[in-house]
Amino acid sequence: MKLKICGMKNENNILDVAELNPGYMGFIFYEKSPRHFNTTIPELPESIKKIGVFVNATFDFIRGKVEKHDLQGVQLHGDETPELCKSLKDLGIIVIKVFSIKNQFNFKVLEPFEDVCDYYLFDTKGKEPGGNGYTFNWNVLKKYPSIKPYFLSGGIGPKEMDSLLLFLKRPESEFCAAVDLNSKFETAAGLKNTAKLKTFQQKLIDTNYLR
């Protein structure tokens, strides 16, 4: 399992977080987000995959950002179609399709996406497409029908560590490829507390869940 640190904005903060060497860093290209990224991504180690986050953007807009920022992947947070996912996958990048959950979820909606994305990301259903700051009911994933790896997201912070460790011991976590961290580690929108991130990361390393 890896960590994805999402919603990065500030160049110095990006470089500080990069020293933790997370598997992924997320940059939000959605103007309505308080974490909207509109500057240049500094040079990062090749081990960190740069993921662009989009909400109902066009193929041309996404491709432009992929090329401009040398993104290794995209995270689609809106009502994107399987056809768009396939077109993006054909660019040779990682495609992560987001699905929002609260207390229940119809997993049949995943079926059209099985062959056109690399990962699912399960986030909390809220007023905004991400960054709502609270978790969904992870017990819903007991009925996960796929073998496609997924990212676990939605309001995960230091206070959720015990719950996360319990979840990672359960069978439904078998395909959990990454944990997505964002608002619960911020001192301001887009500005991450690296000390808190490091403590969280170290706990997952100590318990042999992070690699």
mmCIF file of all heavy atoms in Angstrom, residues 73-116:
data_model
loop_
_atom_site.group_PDB
_atom_site.id
_atom_site.type_symbol
_atom_site.label_atom_id
_atom_site.label_comp_id
_atom_site.label_asym_id
_atom_site.label_seq_id
_atom_site.Cartn_x
_atom_site.Cartn_y
_atom_site.Cartn_z
ATOM 1 N N GLY A 73 -0.624 10.558 -14.145
ATOM 2 C CA GLY A 73 -1.964 10.012 -14.031
ATOM 3 C C GLY A 73 -3.005 11.083 -13.810
ATOM 4 O O GLY A 73 -2.690 12.251 -13.548
ATOM 5 N N VAL A 74 -4.275 10.669 -13.933
ATOM 6 C CA VAL A 74 -5.400 11.577 -13.697
ATOM 7 C C VAL A 74 -6.395 10.906 -12.760
ATOM 8 O O VAL A 74 -6.542 9.675 -12.737
ATOM 9 C CB VAL A 74 -6.100 11.960 -15.018
ATOM 10 C CG1 VAL A 74 -5.145 12.744 -15.912
ATOM 11 C CG2 VAL A 74 -6.643 10.744 -15.748
ATOM 12 N N GLN A 75 -7.062 11.745 -11.976
ATOM 13 C CA GLN A 75 -8.106 11.297 -11.054
ATOM 14 C C GLN A 75 -9.374 12.029 -11.456
ATOM 15 O O GLN A 75 -9.411 13.261 -11.449
ATOM 16 C CB GLN A 75 -7.699 11.625 -9.627
ATOM 17 C CG GLN A 75 -8.719 11.263 -8.560
ATOM 18 C CD GLN A 75 -8.166 11.552 -7.171
ATOM 19 O OE1 GLN A 75 -7.033 11.191 -6.862
ATOM 20 N NE2 GLN A 75 -8.952 12.205 -6.336
ATOM 21 N N LEU A 76 -10.411 11.290 -11.801
ATOM 22 C CA LEU A 76 -11.633 11.858 -12.365
ATOM 23 C C LEU A 76 -12.733 11.865 -11.310
ATOM 24 O O LEU A 76 -13.229 10.816 -10.907
ATOM 25 C CB LEU A 76 -12.050 11.055 -13.594
ATOM 26 C CG LEU A 76 -10.950 10.917 -14.663
ATOM 27 C CD1 LEU A 76 -11.430 10.019 -15.803
ATOM 28 C CD2 LEU A 76 -10.510 12.277 -15.188
ATOM 29 N N HIS A 77 -13.116 13.067 -10.888
ATOM 30 C CA HIS A 77 -13.962 13.242 -9.708
ATOM 31 C C HIS A 77 -15.400 13.618 -10.040
ATOM 32 O O HIS A 77 -16.162 13.988 -9.150
ATOM 33 C CB HIS A 77 -13.365 14.343 -8.820
ATOM 34 C CG HIS A 77 -13.057 13.890 -7.432
ATOM 35 N ND1 HIS A 77 -14.026 13.622 -6.498
ATOM 36 C CD2 HIS A 77 -11.880 13.666 -6.811
ATOM 37 C CE1 HIS A 77 -13.459 13.260 -5.359
ATOM 38 N NE2 HIS A 77 -12.159 13.270 -5.536
ATOM 39 N N GLY A 78 -15.769 13.560 -11.323
ATOM 40 C CA GLY A 78 -17.117 13.983 -11.687
ATOM 41 C C GLY A 78 -17.928 12.853 -12.281
ATOM 42 O O GLY A 78 -17.895 11.718 -11.813
ATOM 43 N N ASP A 79 -18.674 13.182 -13.343
ATOM 44 C CA ASP A 79 -19.545 12.208 -14.000
ATOM 45 C C ASP A 79 -18.929 11.737 -15.317
ATOM 46 O O ASP A 79 -19.639 11.540 -16.313
ATOM 47 C CB ASP A 79 -20.919 12.840 -14.270
ATOM 48 C CG ASP A 79 -21.581 13.321 -12.990
ATOM 49 O OD1 ASP A 79 -21.586 12.559 -12.005
ATOM 50 O OD2 ASP A 79 -22.070 14.470 -12.965
ATOM 51 N N GLU A 80 -17.630 11.546 -15.297
ATOM 52 C CA GLU A 80 -16.922 11.162 -16.522
ATOM 53 C C GLU A 80 -17.386 9.787 -17.032
ATOM 54 O O GLU A 80 -17.699 8.892 -16.235
ATOM 55 C CB GLU A 80 -15.413 11.133 -16.272
ATOM 56 C CG GLU A 80 -14.827 12.496 -15.923
ATOM 57 C CD GLU A 80 -14.923 12.850 -14.452
ATOM 58 O OE1 GLU A 80 -15.359 11.989 -13.664
ATOM 59 O OE2 GLU A 80 -14.574 13.995 -14.105
ATOM 60 N N THR A 81 -17.402 9.654 -18.342
ATOM 61 C CA THR A 81 -17.884 8.430 -18.970
ATOM 62 C C THR A 81 -16.771 7.395 -19.112
ATOM 63 O O THR A 81 -15.577 7.739 -19.093
ATOM 64 C CB THR A 81 -18.426 8.727 -20.378
ATOM 65 O OG1 THR A 81 -17.338 9.208 -21.197
ATOM 66 C CG2 THR A 81 -19.534 9.773 -20.336
ATOM 67 N N PRO A 82 -17.152 6.137 -19.288
ATOM 68 C CA PRO A 82 -16.140 5.116 -19.592
ATOM 69 C C PRO A 82 -15.356 5.444 -20.861
ATOM 70 O O PRO A 82 -14.169 5.139 -20.947
ATOM 71 C CB PRO A 82 -16.969 3.841 -19.757
ATOM 72 C CG PRO A 82 -18.202 4.079 -18.952
ATOM 73 C CD PRO A 82 -18.486 5.544 -19.091
ATOM 74 N N GLU A 83 -16.027 6.088 -21.831
ATOM 75 C CA GLU A 83 -15.362 6.437 -23.084
ATOM 76 C C GLU A 83 -14.224 7.438 -22.847
ATOM 77 O O GLU A 83 -13.143 7.321 -23.432
ATOM 78 C CB GLU A 83 -16.376 7.012 -24.073
ATOM 79 C CG GLU A 83 -17.375 6.007 -24.615
ATOM 80 C CD GLU A 83 -18.469 5.621 -23.614
ATOM 81 O OE1 GLU A 83 -18.712 6.384 -22.647
ATOM 82 O OE2 GLU A 83 -19.079 4.543 -23.795
ATOM 83 N N LEU A 84 -14.475 8.424 -21.976
ATOM 84 C CA LEU A 84 -13.418 9.379 -21.647
ATOM 85 C C LEU A 84 -12.271 8.679 -20.928
ATOM 86 O O LEU A 84 -11.098 8.937 -21.212
ATOM 87 C CB LEU A 84 -13.970 10.515 -20.784
ATOM 88 C CG LEU A 84 -12.935 11.546 -20.322
ATOM 89 C CD1 LEU A 84 -12.288 12.249 -21.515
ATOM 90 C CD2 LEU A 84 -13.556 12.565 -19.374
ATOM 91 N N CYS A 85 -12.607 7.794 -20.010
ATOM 92 C CA CYS A 85 -11.564 7.048 -19.291
ATOM 93 C C CYS A 85 -10.686 6.277 -20.264
ATOM 94 O O CYS A 85 -9.453 6.269 -20.139
ATOM 95 C CB CYS A 85 -12.197 6.091 -18.277
ATOM 96 S SG CYS A 85 -13.009 6.892 -16.888
ATOM 97 N N LYS A 86 -11.323 5.627 -21.254
ATOM 98 C CA LYS A 86 -10.551 4.851 -22.238
ATOM 99 C C LYS A 86 -9.639 5.755 -23.047
ATOM 100 O O LYS A 86 -8.472 5.420 -23.304
ATOM 101 C CB LYS A 86 -11.480 4.069 -23.152
ATOM 102 C CG LYS A 86 -10.716 3.171 -24.131
ATOM 103 C CD LYS A 86 -11.628 2.406 -25.043
ATOM 104 C CE LYS A 86 -10.817 1.430 -25.902
ATOM 105 N NZ LYS A 86 -9.710 2.089 -26.647
ATOM 106 N N SER A 87 -10.152 6.909 -23.471
ATOM 107 C CA SER A 87 -9.338 7.839 -24.257
ATOM 108 C C SER A 87 -8.118 8.298 -23.472
ATOM 109 O O SER A 87 -7.014 8.422 -24.018
ATOM 110 C CB SER A 87 -10.179 9.044 -24.680
ATOM 111 O OG SER A 87 -11.223 8.659 -25.540
ATOM 112 N N LEU A 88 -8.303 8.534 -22.182
ATOM 113 C CA LEU A 88 -7.188 8.966 -21.337
ATOM 114 C C LEU A 88 -6.214 7.819 -21.093
ATOM 115 O O LEU A 88 -4.999 8.009 -21.102
ATOM 116 C CB LEU A 88 -7.725 9.515 -20.010
ATOM 117 C CG LEU A 88 -8.511 10.826 -20.130
ATOM 118 C CD1 LEU A 88 -9.259 11.134 -18.837
ATOM 119 C CD2 LEU A 88 -7.573 11.976 -20.482
ATOM 120 N N LYS A 89 -6.764 6.639 -20.898
ATOM 121 C CA LYS A 89 -5.905 5.464 -20.693
ATOM 122 C C LYS A 89 -5.043 5.205 -21.926
ATOM 123 O O LYS A 89 -3.888 4.786 -21.818
ATOM 124 C CB LYS A 89 -6.766 4.245 -20.366
ATOM 125 C CG LYS A 89 -6.000 3.034 -19.857
ATOM 126 C CD LYS A 89 -6.967 1.968 -19.368
ATOM 127 C CE LYS A 89 -6.261 0.657 -19.071
ATOM 128 N NZ LYS A 89 -5.221 0.785 -18.033
ATOM 129 N N ASP A 90 -5.600 5.511 -23.095
ATOM 130 C CA ASP A 90 -4.856 5.324 -24.336
ATOM 131 C C ASP A 90 -3.671 6.283 -24.455
ATOM 132 O O ASP A 90 -2.793 6.084 -25.309
ATOM 133 C CB ASP A 90 -5.787 5.502 -25.546
ATOM 134 C CG ASP A 90 -6.756 4.335 -25.721
ATOM 135 O OD1 ASP A 90 -6.520 3.278 -25.112
ATOM 136 O OD2 ASP A 90 -7.756 4.503 -26.453
ATOM 137 N N LEU A 91 -3.629 7.331 -23.616
ATOM 138 C CA LEU A 91 -2.480 8.234 -23.586
ATOM 139 C C LEU A 91 -1.289 7.604 -22.861
ATOM 140 O O LEU A 91 -0.191 8.170 -22.861
ATOM 141 C CB LEU A 91 -2.849 9.551 -22.888
ATOM 142 C CG LEU A 91 -3.898 10.440 -23.561
ATOM 143 C CD1 LEU A 91 -4.179 11.663 -22.692
ATOM 144 C CD2 LEU A 91 -3.442 10.860 -24.951
ATOM 145 N N GLY A 92 -1.529 6.467 -22.223
ATOM 146 C CA GLY A 92 -0.458 5.782 -21.504
ATOM 147 C C GLY A 92 -0.262 6.280 -20.086
ATOM 148 O O GLY A 92 0.823 6.122 -19.511
ATOM 149 N N ILE A 93 -1.324 6.876 -19.513
ATOM 150 C CA ILE A 93 -1.245 7.377 -18.140
ATOM 151 C C ILE A 93 -2.151 6.566 -17.221
ATOM 152 O O ILE A 93 -3.014 5.810 -17.683
ATOM 153 C CB ILE A 93 -1.641 8.871 -18.064
ATOM 154 C CG1 ILE A 93 -3.055 9.076 -18.609
ATOM 155 C CG2 ILE A 93 -0.629 9.727 -18.826
ATOM 156 C CD1 ILE A 93 -3.568 10.494 -18.451
ATOM 157 N N ILE A 94 -1.939 6.730 -15.923
ATOM 158 C CA ILE A 94 -2.783 6.085 -14.918
ATOM 159 C C ILE A 94 -4.137 6.784 -14.887
ATOM 160 O O ILE A 94 -4.208 8.016 -14.866
ATOM 161 C CB ILE A 94 -2.130 6.177 -13.528
ATOM 162 C CG1 ILE A 94 -0.788 5.451 -13.509
ATOM 163 C CG2 ILE A 94 -3.058 5.627 -12.446
ATOM 164 C CD1 ILE A 94 0.060 5.793 -12.303
ATOM 165 N N VAL A 95 -5.220 6.014 -14.876
ATOM 166 C CA VAL A 95 -6.558 6.584 -14.779
ATOM 167 C C VAL A 95 -7.217 6.075 -13.493
ATOM 168 O O VAL A 95 -7.359 4.865 -13.293
ATOM 169 C CB VAL A 95 -7.422 6.219 -16.005
ATOM 170 C CG1 VAL A 95 -8.851 6.741 -15.825
ATOM 171 C CG2 VAL A 95 -6.807 6.794 -17.275
ATOM 172 N N ILE A 96 -7.588 7.028 -12.643
ATOM 173 C CA ILE A 96 -8.256 6.729 -11.371
ATOM 174 C C ILE A 96 -9.666 7.309 -11.444
ATOM 175 O O ILE A 96 -9.833 8.513 -11.603
ATOM 176 C CB ILE A 96 -7.502 7.354 -10.182
ATOM 177 C CG1 ILE A 96 -6.047 6.911 -10.157
ATOM 178 C CG2 ILE A 96 -8.191 7.019 -8.865
ATOM 179 C CD1 ILE A 96 -5.165 7.742 -9.229
ATOM 180 N N LYS A 97 -10.676 6.468 -11.343
ATOM 181 C CA LYS A 97 -12.067 6.956 -11.383
ATOM 182 C C LYS A 97 -12.642 6.972 -9.975
ATOM 183 O O LYS A 97 -12.582 5.978 -9.253
ATOM 184 C CB LYS A 97 -12.933 6.067 -12.288
ATOM 185 C CG LYS A 97 -14.371 6.569 -12.420
ATOM 186 C CD LYS A 97 -14.440 7.888 -13.165
ATOM 187 C CE LYS A 97 -15.875 8.447 -13.187
ATOM 188 N NZ LYS A 97 -16.230 9.161 -11.942
ATOM 189 N N VAL A 98 -13.188 8.126 -9.603
ATOM 190 C CA VAL A 98 -13.697 8.331 -8.251
ATOM 191 C C VAL A 98 -15.181 8.002 -8.165
ATOM 192 O O VAL A 98 -15.968 8.357 -9.059
ATOM 193 C CB VAL A 98 -13.477 9.798 -7.816
ATOM 194 C CG1 VAL A 98 -14.055 10.039 -6.426
ATOM 195 C CG2 VAL A 98 -11.998 10.145 -7.850
ATOM 196 N N PHE A 99 -15.555 7.353 -7.069
ATOM 197 C CA PHE A 99 -16.956 7.094 -6.748
ATOM 198 C C PHE A 99 -17.194 7.503 -5.297
ATOM 199 O O PHE A 99 -16.389 7.175 -4.418
ATOM 200 C CB PHE A 99 -17.306 5.620 -6.961
ATOM 201 C CG PHE A 99 -17.181 5.188 -8.391
ATOM 202 C CD1 PHE A 99 -15.978 4.671 -8.863
ATOM 203 C CD2 PHE A 99 -18.235 5.328 -9.274
ATOM 204 C CE1 PHE A 99 -15.843 4.291 -10.186
ATOM 205 C CE2 PHE A 99 -18.107 4.949 -10.599
ATOM 206 C CZ PHE A 99 -16.913 4.424 -11.066
ATOM 207 N N SER A 100 -18.289 8.220 -5.071
ATOM 208 C CA SER A 100 -18.573 8.746 -3.739
ATOM 209 C C SER A 100 -19.558 7.847 -3.002
ATOM 210 O O SER A 100 -20.551 7.373 -3.569
ATOM 211 C CB SER A 100 -19.136 10.165 -3.838
ATOM 212 O OG SER A 100 -18.176 11.026 -4.415
ATOM 213 N N ILE A 101 -19.280 7.631 -1.723
ATOM 214 C CA ILE A 101 -20.058 6.713 -0.887
ATOM 215 C C ILE A 101 -20.430 7.415 0.413
ATOM 216 O O ILE A 101 -19.664 8.214 0.942
ATOM 217 C CB ILE A 101 -19.235 5.443 -0.560
ATOM 218 C CG1 ILE A 101 -18.874 4.679 -1.838
ATOM 219 C CG2 ILE A 101 -19.990 4.531 0.402
ATOM 220 C CD1 ILE A 101 -17.972 3.470 -1.594
ATOM 221 N N LYS A 102 -21.589 7.095 0.944
ATOM 222 C CA LYS A 102 -21.941 7.540 2.293
ATOM 223 C C LYS A 102 -22.200 6.306 3.156
ATOM 224 O O LYS A 102 -21.299 5.762 3.751
ATOM 225 C CB LYS A 102 -23.134 8.491 2.268
ATOM 226 C CG LYS A 102 -23.303 9.257 3.574
ATOM 227 C CD LYS A 102 -24.304 10.379 3.436
ATOM 228 C CE LYS A 102 -24.349 11.179 4.737
ATOM 229 N NZ LYS A 102 -25.330 12.291 4.658
ATOM 230 N N ASN A 103 -23.435 5.851 3.184
ATOM 231 C CA ASN A 103 -23.760 4.674 4.000
ATOM 232 C C ASN A 103 -24.115 3.446 3.173
ATOM 233 O O ASN A 103 -24.256 2.358 3.720
ATOM 234 C CB ASN A 103 -24.912 5.004 4.958
ATOM 235 C CG ASN A 103 -24.520 6.045 5.983
ATOM 236 O OD1 ASN A 103 -23.444 5.964 6.567
ATOM 237 N ND2 ASN A 103 -25.369 7.037 6.189
ATOM 238 N N GLN A 104 -24.268 3.642 1.860
ATOM 239 C CA GLN A 104 -24.535 2.520 0.974
ATOM 240 C C GLN A 104 -24.055 2.866 -0.423
ATOM 241 O O GLN A 104 -23.803 4.034 -0.730
ATOM 242 C CB GLN A 104 -26.024 2.174 0.973
ATOM 243 C CG GLN A 104 -26.927 3.335 0.597
ATOM 244 C CD GLN A 104 -28.395 2.986 0.760
ATOM 245 O OE1 GLN A 104 -28.762 1.923 1.262
ATOM 246 N NE2 GLN A 104 -29.265 3.885 0.327
ATOM 247 N N PHE A 105 -23.939 1.836 -1.260
ATOM 248 C CA PHE A 105 -23.405 2.071 -2.608
ATOM 249 C C PHE A 105 -23.816 0.922 -3.512
ATOM 250 O O PHE A 105 -23.775 -0.243 -3.107
ATOM 251 C CB PHE A 105 -21.879 2.187 -2.561
ATOM 252 C CG PHE A 105 -21.240 2.532 -3.871
ATOM 253 C CD1 PHE A 105 -21.402 3.788 -4.424
ATOM 254 C CD2 PHE A 105 -20.474 1.603 -4.562
ATOM 255 C CE1 PHE A 105 -20.812 4.120 -5.645
ATOM 256 C CE2 PHE A 105 -19.884 1.920 -5.773
ATOM 257 C CZ PHE A 105 -20.053 3.188 -6.316
ATOM 258 N N ASN A 106 -24.198 1.261 -4.735
ATOM 259 C CA ASN A 106 -24.547 0.260 -5.738
ATOM 260 C C ASN A 106 -23.293 -0.043 -6.566
ATOM 261 O O ASN A 106 -22.936 0.731 -7.463
ATOM 262 C CB ASN A 106 -25.681 0.770 -6.626
ATOM 263 C CG ASN A 106 -26.044 -0.224 -7.710
ATOM 264 O OD1 ASN A 106 -25.584 -1.374 -7.704
ATOM 265 N ND2 ASN A 106 -26.855 0.205 -8.658
ATOM 266 N N PHE A 107 -22.650 -1.146 -6.271
ATOM 267 C CA PHE A 107 -21.389 -1.471 -6.943
ATOM 268 C C PHE A 107 -21.553 -1.802 -8.425
ATOM 269 O O PHE A 107 -20.553 -1.877 -9.149
ATOM 270 C CB PHE A 107 -20.692 -2.627 -6.220
ATOM 271 C CG PHE A 107 -20.040 -2.217 -4.932
ATOM 272 C CD1 PHE A 107 -20.632 -2.508 -3.713
ATOM 273 C CD2 PHE A 107 -18.841 -1.522 -4.925
ATOM 274 C CE1 PHE A 107 -20.040 -2.125 -2.520
ATOM 275 C CE2 PHE A 107 -18.234 -1.134 -3.744
ATOM 276 C CZ PHE A 107 -18.837 -1.432 -2.536
ATOM 277 N N LYS A 108 -22.782 -1.955 -8.898
ATOM 278 C CA LYS A 108 -22.992 -2.235 -10.317
ATOM 279 C C LYS A 108 -22.527 -1.069 -11.193
ATOM 280 O O LYS A 108 -22.213 -1.263 -12.366
ATOM 281 C CB LYS A 108 -24.468 -2.537 -10.575
ATOM 282 C CG LYS A 108 -24.894 -3.925 -10.106
ATOM 283 C CD LYS A 108 -26.286 -4.274 -10.594
ATOM 284 C CE LYS A 108 -26.681 -5.682 -10.198
ATOM 285 N NZ LYS A 108 -25.824 -6.692 -10.837
ATOM 286 N N VAL A 109 -22.462 0.132 -10.605
ATOM 287 C CA VAL A 109 -22.030 1.290 -11.408
ATOM 288 C C VAL A 109 -20.562 1.173 -11.805
ATOM 289 O O VAL A 109 -20.096 1.876 -12.708
ATOM 290 C CB VAL A 109 -22.276 2.623 -10.668
ATOM 291 C CG1 VAL A 109 -23.745 2.788 -10.317
ATOM 292 C CG2 VAL A 109 -21.411 2.751 -9.434
ATOM 293 N N LEU A 110 -19.825 0.278 -11.158
ATOM 294 C CA LEU A 110 -18.413 0.099 -11.495
ATOM 295 C C LEU A 110 -18.218 -0.679 -12.793
ATOM 296 O O LEU A 110 -17.184 -0.537 -13.459
ATOM 297 C CB LEU A 110 -17.685 -0.653 -10.375
ATOM 298 C CG LEU A 110 -17.710 -0.080 -8.961
ATOM 299 C CD1 LEU A 110 -16.910 -0.982 -8.027
ATOM 300 C CD2 LEU A 110 -17.166 1.343 -8.934
ATOM 301 N N GLU A 111 -19.190 -1.509 -13.150
ATOM 302 C CA GLU A 111 -19.002 -2.474 -14.231
ATOM 303 C C GLU A 111 -18.526 -1.856 -15.547
ATOM 304 O O GLU A 111 -17.608 -2.382 -16.186
ATOM 305 C CB GLU A 111 -20.289 -3.284 -14.432
ATOM 306 C CG GLU A 111 -20.585 -4.209 -13.262
ATOM 307 C CD GLU A 111 -21.898 -4.966 -13.413
ATOM 308 O OE1 GLU A 111 -22.568 -4.803 -14.461
ATOM 309 O OE2 GLU A 111 -22.253 -5.731 -12.490
ATOM 310 N N PRO A 112 -19.088 -0.718 -15.997
ATOM 311 C CA PRO A 112 -18.636 -0.152 -17.278
ATOM 312 C C PRO A 112 -17.202 0.375 -17.240
ATOM 313 O O PRO A 112 -16.612 0.635 -18.295
ATOM 314 C CB PRO A 112 -19.628 0.998 -17.531
ATOM 315 C CG PRO A 112 -20.802 0.706 -16.662
ATOM 316 C CD PRO A 112 -20.246 0.034 -15.450
ATOM 317 N N PHE A 113 -16.650 0.523 -16.034
ATOM 318 C CA PHE A 113 -15.317 1.107 -15.888
ATOM 319 C C PHE A 113 -14.221 0.062 -15.654
ATOM 320 O O PHE A 113 -13.040 0.411 -15.588
ATOM 321 C CB PHE A 113 -15.311 2.111 -14.726
ATOM 322 C CG PHE A 113 -16.184 3.305 -14.952
ATOM 323 C CD1 PHE A 113 -17.507 3.295 -14.561
ATOM 324 C CD2 PHE A 113 -15.692 4.442 -15.571
ATOM 325 C CE1 PHE A 113 -18.331 4.397 -14.780
ATOM 326 C CE2 PHE A 113 -16.493 5.553 -15.797
ATOM 327 C CZ PHE A 113 -17.824 5.525 -15.389
ATOM 328 N N GLU A 114 -14.611 -1.191 -15.545
ATOM 329 C CA GLU A 114 -13.655 -2.236 -15.178
ATOM 330 C C GLU A 114 -12.455 -2.302 -16.116
ATOM 331 O O GLU A 114 -11.325 -2.506 -15.674
ATOM 332 C CB GLU A 114 -14.353 -3.600 -15.138
ATOM 333 C CG GLU A 114 -15.119 -3.870 -13.859
ATOM 334 C CD GLU A 114 -14.189 -4.153 -12.682
ATOM 335 O OE1 GLU A 114 -13.359 -5.069 -12.769
ATOM 336 O OE2 GLU A 114 -14.300 -3.441 -11.670
ATOM 337 N N ASP A 115 -12.677 -2.108 -17.405
ATOM 338 C CA ASP A 115 -11.594 -2.276 -18.387
ATOM 339 C C ASP A 115 -10.969 -0.964 -18.844
ATOM 340 O O ASP A 115 -10.067 -0.978 -19.685
ATOM 341 C CB ASP A 115 -12.118 -3.033 -19.615
ATOM 342 C CG ASP A 115 -12.584 -4.447 -19.274
ATOM 343 O OD1 ASP A 115 -11.980 -5.057 -18.365
ATOM 344 O OD2 ASP A 115 -13.547 -4.916 -19.899
ATOM 345 N N VAL A 116 -11.428 0.167 -18.295
ATOM 346 C CA VAL A 116 -10.969 1.452 -18.834
ATOM 347 C C VAL A 116 -10.300 2.347 -17.793
ATOM 348 O O VAL A 116 -9.986 3.501 -18.081
ATOM 349 C CB VAL A 116 -12.134 2.218 -19.502
ATOM 350 C CG1 VAL A 116 -12.628 1.466 -20.730
ATOM 351 C CG2 VAL A 116 -13.272 2.467 -18.520
#
